[in-house]
Every structure is written in C-alpha cells, then in structure tokens.
C-alpha cells in the first residue's frame, strides 16, 4: 500500500514571504532560496528553549532573523515560536509586524551626530530635561532605571542606553534629518511626519518591522553601506549604497562592541557574550510589550524580538533579559559556518587620542588622569578640558566673585558647566559627588571651603527656560507663534538684589524688567543663550545663564 505523500512544512513565514514576491515569470520555474535549513531548524529550537526558560515572565512568543552581511541573504527566518499555536497567534509573522523598536534605533542617531561634529568621547548631560512648546504640556524623558548620571561620555550614553542624552542629541540634530536618515536606511514603516514622532523618536516609539531593523544593522556592519535583503539566490546581487559615513559607522560599532562601555546597562557581558567580539544593542518598548536585541559581526547580523503578538505586556522583561540571551545563542550558532571571522571594523577608520576621562577632551594641566579612546578618523577632540581646574587659598578666578578660602593648599576640582547645576544641587545633602578619579564636582563658579568677601553680590540666575529646553515653534508662522517667557531670580548675597535687570539673548539686549524679573522674547530657530544682568552698572551680581534651542 502506497504511503500518502507528506509535504515538508519548513519555515512557513519565510516561504510565505518568498511566495509573495513571485511574479508571472516565476511560474513553473525552480525557486532556490537563501535559507540555510540547518540553521533555520536550530534557530527554531533555540527559540523554544529560550521561551521555556522565561515562561514565568509573561512573554510567550519570539521571532529571529539572521542575515549574511556580504550578500544580504536571509539565512534564518523564524516569524513566531510556533506557526500552529493559536494561543500565541503563531501564524502572525512578527518579523513583518510593526512593533516599537525601543533603544535599538539609538545607534543610528549617534552615528548621524558623529557625522555632524559630535564625537564618542564628548561629555553629554544626563540631567533633568524638559522639551516642548510654550504653553503646552512638556515632554520630560526619564532613564529606564530612574537614576540620572549627570556628566556621561557619549560612548557610555549609547552603550548604556541612557534616554535623556539620546533625546537631547536628537533635539540638537532635529527630528527631520534624523527621520530622513532612518528612511535612507530602509525604515519605510515610519511613514508619519517627523513632528508627529517628535523627540520620542529617539526612544523608538515609532513602529517598525524587524525586517527593516535587520537591514539597518546590516548597513552598520558594512561600515555604512546599505544593501537590500534578499530571499532568493536567483535574484540579482544587490548593489550597495552608502548611507552613512564609514568612519562614524565604525565608531558606533566600536562602542557597541565594548563591554566596559555598557556596564551601566548590565553587570558584566554574559547576556551578549557568544564567545567572540560582537556589536550589540538592546531595546525595550513602552510598557514592556516588546523586548529586542540586535547585533552583528562582520559576517552576520541577528535581530531578536520577544513578546506577545497581541501586545500584552510582559513582566518587566527588558531587551537585555528577554532577548539578549537568545541573541547570543543564535549568533554563536550562525558564526559556526564562518571559517575565518574578520575584525568587526576596519581599524584604519578610527584613530586613537588621549583624553580626560570626565570631559572627553584633550587633557589639561589640572586633569587627574588620562585615558586612550578611539574616535572616528578626523573627529578627535580639538579642544582641551575646561572642567578640571586647580584652586588655591586665593583662587583669583577672573570674572568671578573674589573668594577667601581656607588655607588648605592647592587642590583640583571639577567645575561642571551651568547645564549641570540643577542636577548637582539635587544630590543628597548638596553633596555633588566625585568624578571617576575622586575629584569633587561643583557647579561652575563655586569653590569648596570658600566664603565670599564682604558685600557679596546676589546671584541672578535664569529660572525659565530651564537649561537644555527645546522649544518647538519654528514651524508656526506669526502671529500665531507664541513668545517664549523668560524669568530670572536673585538669591544669596548681602548687597541686595538688583532693582531691575536687562535680559540679553546671545549677547544682545532684548528686554528690561523690574522685580519679579520676567519678559517675553521671540528667538529665531537655533541654539541660544539667555542671561540677566543688573540694569544699573553700579549694582553688582554674579549671573547664571541658560542655553536653550528653538526648532
């Protein structure tokens, strides 16, 4: 008796994708796909094993995509944990479904920033920040762990997935150029206007496909060259197109591959450690609905999603815990077929520079230590550290209030820019803490152990806008455009507060006000500094300006 013919049912979501791309010319022709069936089967087994290990965390589904970076060939494509399981909506292809990518988009914003003049050693501000138009509800980003780090270098901010520096960086770049870069990388799912996404784009709130995410990471692995992904070997070999500067892309890769840079994100490197160098980034969507991990070697890119197809949230399952271990297992298996792995990036694309560990600038005479960092070639810091200074019993700081200090001898301190003043003063008991080498931090203009000379003037500070605020007004034509209110306060001193102050915008007087000091201004789009000075030149005061951005 003849046995019934049993047709294989392998990689169903991948097969459906291939069928969707067939045209009339393909009728009757043999279709040869790019799928590595052994890798596919083992990937599916790894998915099942990983979900079993986190079954108490509320995530019942996962998807994995593996790509060959040289050709763009899709080697493994697991669109769900089980195609036949109706309980997890297994027939929904989560590689093609739109989900929030979380922080997995951050590397592309940092790469663009490195192209625009920022660098990996730059000191960024992880401080309380608010953004928004005048009179409207403000956007106040938070870091995932709820702890603001204050000054942090760009490399640690990216690898550690800090939210506030990423939002501030996107505010500097502008949502429009950032979204345009994502479109160049193939994120067609981001089909809304840039202002609909706003600065939350930095945190991956726009929904994208895992397939698009994989293609973008392939471009990073190829030092900024994008190639289309393909599912059939009979398709023409894709032609690469440069969408990122090679040096900036290599700098991002070097950061994502540095386990010491991501110590804030995870203690140690175990969740991402496949046993060889790999560049990796995690992402967690709002409400813990999606846990992602994306990364690459020179030869392979792997992207992983863990969650629930219906959007049900998991139990505080982050990309690190939910997707990181599965990523490492799949990447380890995917690289078994690579005989001679190449370095993650061309070392000629980067150059070494000695910098101050805190400011990331060239060491100055007061810097307590030096570290060597790698930068995108041509983007090493041109300036010298201005944070660390030496003070003595008589500092004699030009342009500051004269101080009479305790005779404790010369010491080194770190005077952080005004942007960090609020964060410093919010530290417990007013103790601002110390930099990584034990040097105390203080707001600019403050020297420890010192008291002001007699007739200490009051300090006139800008209280609104808060330093770092971004106003979204540049696309609103007059007269609908709302003016920005600026306010100042006077505190301390024994000489009395100024009778009136003049507000200066970028060094130009724009308004005068008596107490309480306030005015309305209409600055043009761009970065600005606002400061309030006594209107009477006979009245003395120290001042605290604030920088803000209009776009």
């Amino acid at each position: 008796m003849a046995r019934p013919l049993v047709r294989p049912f392998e990689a169903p979501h991948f097969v459906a994708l291939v069928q969707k791309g067939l045209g009339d010319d393909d009728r009757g022709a043999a279709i040869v796909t790019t799928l590595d069936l052994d890798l596919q089967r083992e990937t599916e087994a790894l998915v099942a094993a990983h979900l079993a290990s986190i079954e108490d965390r509320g995530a019942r589904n996962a998807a994995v995509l593996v790509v060959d970076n040289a050709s763009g060939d899709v080697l493994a494509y697991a669109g769900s944990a089980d195609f036949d399981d109706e309980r997890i909506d297994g027939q929904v292809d989560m590689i093609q479904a739109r989900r929030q990518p979380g922080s997995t988009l951050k590397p592309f914003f940092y790469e663009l920033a490195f192209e625009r003049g920022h660098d990996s050693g730059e000191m960024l501000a992880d401080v309380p920040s608010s953004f928004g138009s005048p009179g409207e509800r403000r956007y106040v980003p938070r870091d995932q762990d709820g702890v603001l780090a204050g000054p942090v270098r760009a490399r640690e901010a990216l690898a550690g997935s800090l939210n506030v520096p990423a939002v501030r960086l996107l505010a500097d770049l502008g949502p429009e150029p950032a979204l345009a870069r994502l479109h160049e990388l193939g994120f067609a799912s981001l089909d809304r206007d840039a202002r609909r996404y706003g600065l939350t784009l930095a945190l991956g709130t726009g929904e994208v496909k895992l397939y698009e995410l994989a293609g973008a990471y392939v471009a990073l692995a190829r030092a900024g060259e994008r190639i289309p992904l393909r599912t059939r070997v009979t398709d023409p070999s894709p032609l690469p197109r440069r969408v990122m500067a090679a040096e900036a892309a290599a700098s991002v890769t070097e950061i994502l591959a540095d386990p010491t840079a991501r110590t804030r994100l995870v203690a140690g490197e175990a969740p991402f450690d496949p046993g060889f160098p790999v560049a990796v980034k995690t992402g967690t969507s709002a409400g813990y609905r999606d846990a992602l991990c994306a990364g690459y070697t020179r030869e392979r890119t792997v992207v992983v999603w863990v969650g629930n197809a219906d959007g049900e949230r998991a139990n505080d399952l982050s990309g690190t815990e939910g997707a990181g271990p599965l990523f490492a297992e799949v990447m380890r298996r995917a690289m078994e077929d690579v005989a001679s792995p190449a370095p993650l990036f061309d070392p000629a694309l980067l150059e070494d520079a000695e910098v101050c560990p805190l400011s990331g600038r060239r060491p100055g005479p007061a810097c307590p230590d030096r570290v060597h960092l790698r930068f995108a070639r041509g983007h090493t810091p041109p300036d010298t550290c201005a944070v660390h200074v030496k003070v003595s019993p008589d500092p004699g700081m030009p342009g500051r209030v004269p101080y009479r200090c305790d005779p404790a001898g010369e010491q080194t301190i770190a005077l952080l820019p005004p942007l960090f003043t609020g964060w410093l003063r919010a530290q417990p008991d007013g103790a601002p803490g110390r930099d990584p080498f034990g040097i105390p931090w203080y707001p600019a203009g403050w020297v420890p152990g010192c008291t002001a000379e007699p007739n200490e003037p009051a300090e006139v500070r800008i209280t609104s806008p808060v330093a770092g605020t971004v106003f979204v007004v540049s696309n609103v034509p007059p007269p609908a455009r709302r003016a920005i209110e600026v306010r100042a306060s006077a505190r301390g001193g024994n000489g009395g507060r100024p009778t009136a102050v003049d507000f200066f915008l970028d060094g130009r007087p724009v308004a005068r006000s008596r107490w309480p000091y306030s005015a309305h201004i209409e600055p043009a789009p761009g970065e600005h500094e606002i400061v309030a000075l006594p209107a009477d030149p006979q009245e003395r005061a120290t001042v605290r300006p604030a920088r803000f951005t209009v776009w």
Side-chain angles (χ1 to χ4, degrees):
M1 181 177 177
R3 293 183 179 179
L5 179 63
V6 178
R7 296 183 179 276
F9 193 59
E10 306 271 11
H13 289 116
F14 176 78
V15 171
L17 180 64
V18 172
Q19 289 177 326
K20 185 178 179 180
L22 297 179
D24 293 338
D25 294 341
D26 296 308
R27 293 183 182 275
I31 304 300
V32 181
T33 74
T34 60
L35 200 73
D36 180 331
L37 192 54
D38 289 337
L39 177 60
Q40 175 72 21
R41 290 168 176 164
E42 293 185 48
T43 295
E44 292 172 355
L46 291 171
V47 167
H50 177 67
L51 289 176
S53 72
I54 60 169
E55 60 182 351
D56 61 331
R57 303 300 296 273
R60 302 180 300 275
N61 202 357
V64 177
L65 184 62
V66 182
V67 180
D68 178 272
N69 295 333
S71 62
D73 288 354
V74 174
L75 302 179
Y77 189 109
S80 71
D82 188 343
F83 185 84
D84 294 321
D85 192 342
E86 294 182 358
R87 295 172 300 176
I88 64 170
D89 298 312
Q91 294 190 20
V92 176
D93 184 354
M94 297 309 299
I95 291 176
Q96 299 297 332
R98 295 189 182 191
R99 306 300 286 233
Q100 290 186 354
S103 296
T104 56
L105 292 189
K106 287 176 182 173
F108 307 111
F109 303 132
Y110 276 84
E111 187 282 328
L112 182 59
F114 293 165
E115 288 186 25
R116 301 288 180 88
H118 294 270
D119 63 71
S120 58
E122 181 178 348
M123 187 172 72
L124 301 182
D126 189 26
V127 298
S129 304
S130 63
F131 305 85
S133 301
E136 297 181 358
R137 184 177 179 180
R138 307 190 68 75
Y139 170 47
V140 182
R142 297 281 190 267
D143 287 334
Q144 187 172 350
D145 61 6
V147 179
L148 296 174
V152 59
R153 292 190 308 233
R155 61 183 300 109
E156 283 82 17
L158 170 57
S161 207
L162 299 182
N163 288 340
V164 175
V167 174
R168 296 180 62 87
L169 202 62
L170 182 60
D172 181 58
L173 295 172
E176 291 87 355
L179 182 61
R181 172 54 56 85
L182 294 179
H183 287 162
E184 288 182 305
L185 287 164
F187 288 100
S189 295
L190 295 173
D191 52 7
R192 296 184 176 183
D193 183 83
R195 297 195 177 275
R196 291 289 299 275
Y197 298 113
L199 298 180
T200 64
L201 188 65
L203 309 186
T205 56
E207 296 180 338
V208 305
K209 298 178 181 180
L210 207 67
Y211 199 80
E212 297 168 337
L213 189 65
Y217 271 79
V218 168
L220 271 177
R222 294 174 56 90
E225 285 187 341
R226 182 193 170 204
I227 57 172
L229 306 190
R230 67 175 189 171
T231 58
R232 299 186 300 172
V233 296
T234 52
D235 291 341
S237 297
L239 296 177
R241 182 169 66 90
R242 178 156 299 283
V243 294
M244 294 181 282
E247 296 82 4
S251 184
V252 167
T253 297
E254 189 265 337
I255 293 170
L256 297 182
D258 182 3
T260 62
R262 56 174 176 261
T263 51
R264 180 183 171 95
L265 179 67
V266 57
E269 55 184 291
F272 314 118
D273 183 15
F276 44 81
V278 60
V280 61
K281 185 73 190 73
T282 61
T284 308
S285 71
Y288 294 95
R289 291 178 174 83
D290 306 279
L292 298 98
C293 189
Y296 52 92
T297 62
R298 195 73 168 267
E299 295 82 13
R300 299 286 186 265
T301 288
V302 174
V303 292
V304 174
W305 168 86
V306 173
N308 298 299
D310 61 4
E312 180 183 347
R313 65 170 290 161
N315 299 330
D316 296 341
L317 193 63
S318 68
T320 300
E321 300 173 292
L326 179 55
F327 166 86
E329 292 293 333
V330 174
M331 179 60 84
R332 186 180 297 113
R333 169 58 187 87
M335 287 296 291
E336 287 180 0
D337 300 325
V338 178
S340 300
L344 279 173
F345 54 86
D346 180 356
L349 295 173
L350 303 182
E351 59 181 309
D352 182 89
E354 186 181 64
V355 298
C356 167
L358 177 62
S359 68
R361 305 300 87 183
R362 300 282 184 176
C367 290
D369 209 334
R370 284 108 166 96
V371 295
H372 284 266
L373 298 179
R374 283 187 285 186
F375 296 83
R377 183 161 294 280
H379 293 272
T380 55
D383 48 347
T384 301
C385 174
V387 173
H388 289 112
V389 297
K390 290 185 180 294
V391 294
S392 63
D394 182 16
M397 291 187 170
R400 303 183 190 277
V401 180
Y403 284 91
R404 180 178 64 247
C405 296
D406 297 333
E410 188 177 72
Q411 60 176 313
T412 298
I413 63 172
L415 294 181
L416 298 181
L419 179 61
F420 296 93
T421 300
W423 174 81
L424 283 168
R425 291 182 171 173
Q427 302 308 301
D429 301 322
R434 296 174 179 271
D435 76 4
F437 295 88
I439 303 303
W441 292 339
Y442 296 96
W446 177 30
V447 179
C450 302
T451 56
E453 293 288 352
N455 297 321
E456 176 189 3
E459 178 190 75
V460 178
R461 65 169 53 237
I462 298 295
T463 57
S464 179
V466 176
T469 298
V470 176
F471 294 100
V472 187
V473 298
S474 59
N475 66 329
V476 180
R481 179 181 298 171
R482 299 180 183 179
I484 295 173
E485 182 182 17
V486 295
R487 297 191 300 272
S489 67
R491 57 183 293 180
N494 52 24
R497 67 180 179 227
T499 307
V501 299
D502 288 328
F503 287 99
F504 286 78
L505 182 68
D506 303 326
R508 178 175 58 87
V510 291
R512 174 170 292 184
S513 173
R514 298 179 67 86
W515 179 263
Y517 313 131
S518 67
H520 287 82
I521 62 175
E522 294 190 13
E527 293 187 356
H528 301 282
E529 182 176 78
I530 186 76
V531 65
L533 299 173
D536 184 346
Q538 300 302 314
E539 295 179 325
R540 298 174 58 231
T542 60
V543 297
R544 289 289 177 86
R547 296 192 64 82
F548 64 94
T549 303
V550 173
W551 54 261

